[in-house]
Amino acid sequence: MSSIPNSAMPHAKVHHDDDHKPKAEAKKTATTSDWVEDATDAAKAGLATATDAVKSHPKTAIAVGATVIAGIAAAIAAPALLAKEADKKAPTPADPKPGKGKKGKAD
């Protein structure tokens, strides 16, 4: 019998039969599983790249963030301002034009 402690050899533990049962794996379809894993890997790689860029250039990252926020604000505000200006410029048919009489002459 050996005098080596189990902590020095964790691989030498006694395994029971329950531990070695093969796990039933869910069937993966190529259409969902593969592209999800690819997308996840790509997102992780992109996040790592972005994190490295922010760490190496923090002032530039702040400027880019401020620009993105300003762009979002402009994208939200621009249609509202254009609609407001269009309402001011559009004449209503019920309002007669000032200064013209019935025959088109000025009063």
Side-chain angles (χ1 to χ4, degrees):
M1 184 145 190
S2 170
S3 62
I4 299 173
N6 286 339
S7 62
M9 297 177 50
H11 61 277
K13 291 183 181 178
V14 177
H15 295 285
H16 297 285
D17 293 335
D18 294 339
D19 293 340
H20 291 290
K21 287 183 182 176
K23 295 180 182 178
E25 293 185 21
K27 291 184 179 180
K28 294 180 180 179
T29 59
T31 57
T32 58
S33 174
D34 292 342
W35 72 265
V36 169
E37 290 176 7
D38 291 343
T40 304
D41 292 341
K44 286 179 183 178
L47 184 62
T49 303
T51 303
D52 292 340
V54 168
K55 287 179 181 177
S56 61
H57 305 289
K59 290 181 182 179
T60 304
I62 292 169
V64 169
T67 304
V68 169
I69 291 171
I72 291 170
I76 292 171
L81 291 174
L82 291 175
K84 188 175 181 181
E85 288 179 10
D87 288 342
K88 287 182 181 178
K89 290 181 182 178
T92 58
D95 295 335
K97 294 184 180 181
K100 291 189 177 180
K102 291 183 180 180
K103 295 182 182 178
K105 295 181 182 178
D107 290 331

